Structures are given as structure tokens and as C-alpha cells.
């Protein structure tokens, strides 16, 4: 069997996966910015790297999976004015920043649970690692690659590029962007006059009087830049060099490019061996964006409340839809595509559930040797396709070649002894391993339980928001009517809410 090959964005080719310290694997994936609810576009990296994590575990690796939560930080994104999204949104929603963070972190975890994603090994937050970020910034300044200006600290991109280009590691090594071209295309934004060069990025920002989130530092009160948090946290939990760094393709530049520069200066080596990036989701052929009114929040997707949607789509359907394409390929959302995935998933799971309940033993020697050999080939290719850069699409295609065989045995159009007992055992083993353990799909019973939990969590959130508005009529109505249905709500000491079904 071929070994696992991964497309490395850094080298732009597929490479055999060789962990630094087998059987241990360190994987860092950029998590959400909890200034708002996650949307459909966020679902793809969440599910892509969950499947990678599951597959590495399936292969026998001991994985430390670190996925951060960005709950503070200066955002200096290409083509946009700089802002701290957490503080800005907290003002808009009239909430304390950490209250806002908790609200959207809870919603994020709820969505991850709906998708049946495994939790990461460690989920660090930016605000929980201010000390580590400050220490890393001090080291970058000491090494001569950052400078202080009016209480802010900026990374000197041109100096880094000059020095490290000679070592074969220019700024732009991951994205392929040439620094001169980056400078020419950079807009004039706020505080550009503080910078030595347009391409320099903030490691620390001086906090203006109105800024809510602020910490003491050697440079005065302020808050960290966006990129520094991931360098600090990946180094702390995975070491100076680790195996895999993942995220959406939109993070290649500037975020991951800046991470590489920061970490290389501090740790004197490239932080990750393999850089993996999933492609984006478009909607009816268009990029997701507020101007198109096509940014679909996950709660809207699951409830069908966005104007674009013709119906609600179960989390398992969305997960399956995403896995039907290889993670580096483009993926276009449409109602037709989701409805086709819904039908296909139902057909696959019906066949799977019947197969797992099938007690027939087959024959010691297959009566239909050609069919038996075909089935063996189809299921063995599951591993080959996954080892070829996690090609879930090809695995699913093979599964749908097996579905007619399973259904024909069920309907007695194919005799039970057509396949050998060892082949039937192999099919059961492979289908369970890939459908349940690796792809994270759920049987109808488990999916229905998740749907019930999703509905109750939605009602709990509505009740909580009603209480915050002092709308006690709505709050009491939800509690009392759920109680009549046998669902008891309980207010927890930490401000959360749980339920029990009697």
C-alpha cells in the first residue's frame, strides 16, 4: 500500500508524509475569529482538517491537534483598513468584548458538534497567550527585524526579505508573491506613516483611548497583531518545528506568510514541514460577500432561513457535500447541489445500515469470482485514494459503485454466496471505518439525535437573548412549553444553560 502523500503548498507538489518524530504528529490549524457567527465558507476548512485528523488517527499516528480561537488582535488584511474586529463588534452589539467572544465561541462549538467534528487536542486563545506574544515580539526586535513607532511595533518586511532571500527563504515563499509587486498593490491605510515600508505589518498596536481591549507591554498599553498569535501558540504547544499547518487558501497571504517570517526569525527555522490549504466555496458561481447578500450563516443553513435557501439542510448533508469534492478543488454551492447530496447521502446510509445488520456469511469460495474481485478492488482503493492527498471524492465514488451490489444482495437479485465470507467482512470493515470513523458521517438515529439537540440549543439561545432584552414573556413561554413536552431547562452557575429530557 502506498504511503500518505500530501500536497505541500510550500513546495507546490505532493510529498510523502514523513513526521518529524513518528508516531507523533503535530498539527496546527487556524481556527475562527469569534467576532461573529461562522458561515458556510468556514465549514470547509473545519471539516477538511477534521477528516485529516481522523485519518491520521486511523493510520495509527498519535496526533496533537491544535486549533486556535482568535478572540483579540489587530487585523491588517490586504486591501482593508486595519481594525480589531472583536472590539468593533462588541461596541455594535453593546456587549463586553469577552461576553461577545463567549457568545460566538459557544455558537462555534455548537456548529462543530452539529458537523460531528472531533474536538482538537488543544484550543488556545489569543487573549490567553499575551505574555507569549510579547516575549516573541521582544525577540524579533532584539534580532533587528522589528521596530517601535509611537507605541506600536512593526515587522520590517524589507529587511527580512533582503536577509532571508540569500538563504532561499524570501518573504513570499509560500504564496509566490514578489515583495516589489506586493508594495505596488498596497493601498494607503491608517498609520502607514508610522511604517518604514508599506509592506510592514503590525506585531503590536498602541491602543487609542477608546479601545476597550488593552494590555500592558514594554511599549505601552496596546493589543497584539493578528499574525503573532499563531506563531506564539504553535511554538508553545508544538515546538519550533512541527509537521502540518493548515487553513483556508485565503490565509496563505498575508497570514501564513507573516507567520513564517515571525517564526523563522525567532526559531531560526521554518515552522511547519507541510502547509495544507483547502480551496474556497462559491455560491451559484459567485464569491461569498456581503455585497452579493450570499453569506450564509451556519444556523441559517441548518434552519433554511436565508433568502437564497429553498430548504433547511442537515449538518450531515453539508458535511457530505463538502467531502464529495477533493479539498483543493473548487466547490460551488447551490440548492440543486445540496439537494443532490441529501439524496445521495440517504442512499449511501440506507445501504450501509442494511449492510451492518446483514448476518449472511457469504461462501467460503465466492460463487461470482469476477464480482468478488471487483468488490475487493473497490474497497481496497479507499486507502489508496485517501493516501493520495486525502481524495475523499474518489472514495465516495467507489462507495457508490458498491451501493448497487449491496442493494442487489438485499433484494436477492445477487445471491449471498456470490461474495466470499472474507469479502463481506472486508466490505463491512472498510465501510464502517471510512463512513463513520474517518468521514465522520452518522447513521440516521445518531443524526436525528443531533437534530434534536440542535433545535433545543437554538431555543436555548433564543431564550437567553430574550432574557438579556428583559423579554421575560418570551423567555418564560419557551421554558414552560418545553417543560410540557418533557424538556427541563436548567440555568448553570457559569451562565450557561443545560437541558434534560424526561
Amino acid at each position: 500500500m502506498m504511503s500518505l502523500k500530501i500536497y505541500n503548498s510550500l513546495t507546490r507538489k505532493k510529498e510523502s508524509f514523513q513526521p518529524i518524530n513518528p508516531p507523533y504528529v503535530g498539527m496546527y490549524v487556524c481556527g475562527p475569529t469569534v467576532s461573529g457567527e461562522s458561515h458556510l465558507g468556514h465549514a470547509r476548512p473545519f471539516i477538511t482538517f477534521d477528516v485529516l485528523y481522523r485519518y491520521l488517527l486511523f493510520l495509527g499516528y498519535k496526533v496533537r491537534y491544535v486549533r486556535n480561537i482568535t478572540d483579540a488582535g489587530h487585523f491588517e488584511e490586504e486591501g482593508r483598513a486595519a481594525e480589531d474586529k472583536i472590539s468593533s463588534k462588541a461596541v455594535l452589539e453593546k456587549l463586553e468584548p469577552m461576553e461577545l467572544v463567549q457568545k460566538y465561541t459557544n455558537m462555534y462549538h455548537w456548529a462543530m458538534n452539529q458537523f460531528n467534528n472531533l474536538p482538537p487536542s488543544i484550543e488556545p486563545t489569543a487573549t490567553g497567550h499575551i505574555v507569549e506574544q510579547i516575549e516573541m515580539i521582544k525577540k524579533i526586535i532584539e534580532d533587528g527585524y522589528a521596530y517601535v513607532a509611537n507605541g506600536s511595533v512593526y515587522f520590517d518586511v524589507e529587511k527580512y526579505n533582503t536577509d532571508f532571500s540569500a538563504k532561499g527563504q524570501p518573504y513570499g515563499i509560500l504564496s509566490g508573491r514578489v515583495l516589489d509587486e506586493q508594495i505596488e498593490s498596497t493601498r494607503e491605510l491608517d498609520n502607514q506613516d508610522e511604517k518604514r515600508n508599506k509592506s510592514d505589518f503590525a506585531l503590536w498596536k498602541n491602543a487609542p483611548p477608546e479601545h476597550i481591549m488593552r494590555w500592558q507591554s514594554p511599549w505601552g498599553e496596546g493589543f497584539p497583531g493578528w499574525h503573532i498569535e499563531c506563531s506564539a501558540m504553535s511554538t508553545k504547544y508544538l515546538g519550533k518545528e512541527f509537521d502540518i499547518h493548515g487553513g483556508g487558501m485565503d490565509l496563505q497571504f498575508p497570514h501564513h506568510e507573516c507567520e513564517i517570517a515571525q517564526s523563522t526569525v525567532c526559531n531560526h527555522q521554518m515552522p511547519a514541514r507541510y502547509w495544507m490549504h483547502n480551496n474556497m466555496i462559491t455560491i451559484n458561481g459567485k464569491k461569498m460577500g456581503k455585497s452579493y447578500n450570499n453569506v450564509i450563516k451556519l444556523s441559517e443553513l441548518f434552519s433554511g432561513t436565508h433568502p437564497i435557501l429553498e430548504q433547511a439542510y442537515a449538518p450531515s448533508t453539508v458535511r457530505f457535500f463538502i467531502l464529495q469534492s477533493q479539498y483543493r478543488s473548487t466547490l460551488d454551492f447551490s440548492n440543486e447541489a445540496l439537494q443532490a447530496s441529501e439524496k445521495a447521502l440517504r442512499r449511501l446510509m440506507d445501504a450501509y445500515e442494511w449492510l451492518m445488520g446483514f448476518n449472511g456469511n457469504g461462501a467460503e469460495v465466492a460463487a461470482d469470482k469476477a464480482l468478488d474481485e471487483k468488490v475487493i478492488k473497490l474497497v481496497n482503493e479507499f486507502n489508496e485514494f485517501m493516501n493520495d492527498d486525502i481524495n475523499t471524492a474518489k472514495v465516495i465514488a467507489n462507495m457508490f459503485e458498491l451501493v448497487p451490489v449491496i442493494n442487489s444482495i438485499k433484494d436477492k437479485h445477487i445471491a449471498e454466496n456470490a461474495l466470499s465470507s472474507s469479502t463481506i467482512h472486508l466490505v463491512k470493515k472498510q465501510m464502517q471505518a471510512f463512513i463513520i470513523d474517518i468521514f465522520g458521517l452518522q447513521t440516521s438515529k445518531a443524526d436525528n439525535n443531533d437534530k434534536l439537540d440542535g433545535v433545543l440549543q437554538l431555543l436555548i439561545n433564543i431564550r437567553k437573548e430574550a432574557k438579556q432584552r428583559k423579554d421575560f414573556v418570551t423567555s418564560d413561554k419557551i421554558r414552560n412549553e418545553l417543560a410540557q413536552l418533557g424538556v427541563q431547562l436548567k440555568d448553570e452557575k457559569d451562565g450557561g444553560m443545560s437541558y434534560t429530557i424526561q
Side-chain angles (χ1 to χ4, degrees):
M1 185 178 73
M2 67 181 285
S3 62
L4 174 61
K5 288 184 180 294
I6 289 173
Y7 182 85
N8 190 347
S9 301
L10 185 66
T11 60
R12 297 166 183 79
K13 63 182 180 181
K14 290 181 187 177
E15 298 177 350
S16 291
F17 179 61
Q18 301 291 338
I20 297 165
N21 187 28
Y24 299 98
V25 172
M27 181 168 77
Y28 188 94
V29 174
C30 292
T33 298
V34 285
S35 58
E37 187 181 348
S38 296
H39 57 67
L40 174 60
H42 296 137
R44 194 170 195 187
F46 298 156
I47 291 168
T48 293
F49 291 102
D50 178 65
V51 170
L52 175 62
Y53 177 39
R54 288 168 176 269
Y55 190 59
L56 290 169
L57 293 173
F58 172 77
L59 293 177
Y61 290 112
K62 299 181 186 301
V63 186
R64 176 175 284 182
Y65 175 20
V66 181
R67 186 185 65 208
N68 71 303
I69 296 279
T70 297
D71 59 350
H74 175 73
F75 295 79
E76 194 158 10
E77 302 180 46
E78 187 182 29
R80 301 184 194 175
E83 67 167 330
D84 181 331
K85 293 182 179 179
I86 303 294
S87 286
S88 300
K89 193 68 179 294
V91 171
L92 284 174
E93 295 200 19
K94 295 187 170 80
L95 297 172
E96 284 291 328
M98 285 297 104
E99 189 178 7
L100 180 99
V101 162
Q102 191 63 56
K103 172 184 175 180
Y104 288 117
T105 299
N106 289 344
M107 293 185 76
Y108 168 69
H109 287 151
W110 168 77
M112 294 305 94
N113 185 57
Q114 295 304 297
F115 282 132
N116 196 32
N117 281 352
L118 298 176
S121 314
I122 303 173
E123 194 174 54
T125 63
T127 56
H129 296 79
I130 299 295
V131 171
E132 290 83 355
Q133 293 175 73
I134 289 174
E135 289 303 310
M136 186 167 262
I137 294 168
K138 286 163 66 177
K139 177 75 166 57
I140 296 171
I141 294 172
E142 287 169 10
D143 287 354
Y145 290 97
Y147 56 91
V148 181
N150 299 325
S152 296
V153 183
Y154 294 98
F155 190 93
D156 192 333
V157 172
E158 284 199 15
K159 177 173 170 52
Y160 173 87
N161 187 61
T162 299
D163 293 353
F164 282 85
S165 288
K167 302 175 184 179
Q169 288 183 231
Y171 184 78
I173 190 172
L174 180 66
S175 62
R177 300 192 182 202
V178 178
L179 183 57
D180 289 344
E181 294 174 358
Q182 295 174 31
I183 293 171
E184 287 175 11
S185 63
T186 302
R187 291 195 311 152
E188 289 290 342
L189 301 175
D190 293 341
N191 300 320
Q192 285 282 11
D193 55 339
E194 288 185 350
K195 300 180 182 182
R196 292 177 184 170
N197 314 293
K198 286 184 179 180
S199 57
D200 294 350
F201 58 87
L203 297 171
W204 186 266
K205 285 295 291 182
N206 178 37
E210 70 276 8
H211 201 278
I212 305 171
M213 302 180 80
R214 55 208 300 137
W215 291 266
Q216 284 291 345
S217 80
W219 319 286
E221 282 196 352
F223 51 99
W226 174 27
H227 314 302
I228 193 68
E229 66 170 281
C230 289
S231 288
M233 292 188 284
S234 63
T235 299
K236 178 169 183 175
Y237 296 111
L238 298 175
K240 294 180 179 180
E241 184 186 26
F242 52 96
D243 297 297
I244 298 170
H245 195 313
M249 191 177 288
D250 56 323
L251 295 181
Q252 267 193 356
F253 185 88
H255 185 49
H256 290 167
E257 204 73 75
C258 295
E259 274 190 65
I260 288 173
Q262 296 163 162
S263 296
T264 301
V265 168
C266 284
N267 301 327
H268 309 294
Q269 61 189 104
M270 178 72 66
R273 279 194 178 183
Y274 304 90
W275 291 79
M276 298 179 68
H277 296 92
N278 63 274
N279 212 324
M280 301 293 100
I281 290 180
T282 55
I283 298 184
N284 296 316
K286 292 181 179 179
K287 182 181 177 180
M288 290 180 64
K290 291 180 181 177
S291 59
Y292 294 122
N293 191 30
N294 65 355
V295 177
I296 305 173
K297 297 175 183 177
L298 293 179
S299 61
E300 294 173 331
L301 188 62
F302 301 156
S303 61
T305 53
H306 193 280
I308 287 176
L309 301 174
E310 294 177 1
Q311 63 175 74
Y313 296 102
S316 55
T317 299
V318 179
R319 186 180 184 94
F320 185 67
F321 166 70
I322 288 171
L323 296 181
Q324 282 181 292
S325 295
Q326 204 270 351
Y327 75 93
R328 288 190 295 115
S329 65
T330 55
L331 181 59
D332 189 53
F333 170 93
S334 67
N335 282 287
E336 293 76 16
L338 261 290
Q339 288 160 15
S341 291
E342 186 176 55
K343 291 176 183 176
L345 177 60
R346 189 179 304 122
R347 184 165 175 252
L348 175 63
M349 296 308 290
D350 285 348
Y352 169 75
E353 289 180 22
W354 181 86
L355 173 69
M356 298 312 292
F358 175 55
N359 294 319
N361 295 318
E364 187 172 336
V365 178
D368 190 334
K369 188 176 179 181
L371 179 63
D372 195 71
E373 289 176 352
K374 177 186 176 183
V375 168
I376 291 171
K377 181 176 183 293
L378 287 169
V379 293
N380 283 338
E381 283 178 341
F382 289 2
N383 302 76
E384 291 179 30
F385 295 150
M386 284 296 285
N387 282 336
D388 185 16
D389 197 30
I390 316 298
N391 200 327
T392 56
K394 284 190 174 182
V395 176
I396 289 172
N398 271 28
M399 287 178 177
F400 277 102
E401 287 197 52
L402 290 166
V403 166
V405 177
I406 296 168
N407 288 339
S408 293
I409 294 173
K410 171 188 172 185
D411 298 335
K412 304 193 183 304
H413 298 312
I414 293 177
E416 288 183 15
N417 66 354
L419 303 179
S420 69
S421 56
S422 61
T423 298
I424 290 174
H425 175 74
L426 177 64
V427 174
K428 284 186 174 184
K429 179 183 175 184
Q430 286 284 85
M431 291 288 270
Q432 182 172 32
F434 279 80
I435 290 175
I436 305 299
D437 300 336
I438 298 169
F439 288 177
L441 300 171
Q442 295 178 289
T443 59
S444 56
K445 182 178 179 181
D447 198 31
N448 285 338
N449 287 340
D450 278 352
K451 287 178 183 175
L452 175 61
D453 178 69
V455 170
L456 289 173
Q457 291 295 343
L458 186 62
L459 287 170
I460 286 171
N461 287 336
I462 292 170
R463 180 173 182 261
K464 188 174 181 180
E465 289 176 1
K467 286 179 72 177
Q468 288 173 345
R469 296 193 308 269
K470 301 190 184 306
D471 180 4
F472 299 113
V473 173
T474 300
S475 172
D476 292 344
K477 180 179 174 66
I478 291 171
R479 183 194 61 203
N480 296 337
E481 294 197 11
L482 284 175
Q484 289 177 14
L485 295 171
V487 179
Q488 298 294 327
L489 298 182
K490 180 183 178 183
D491 292 310
E492 302 292 351
K493 291 180 180 178
D494 62 1
M497 194 176 295
S498 62
Y499 68 85
T500 55
I501 301 177
Q502 299 176 342

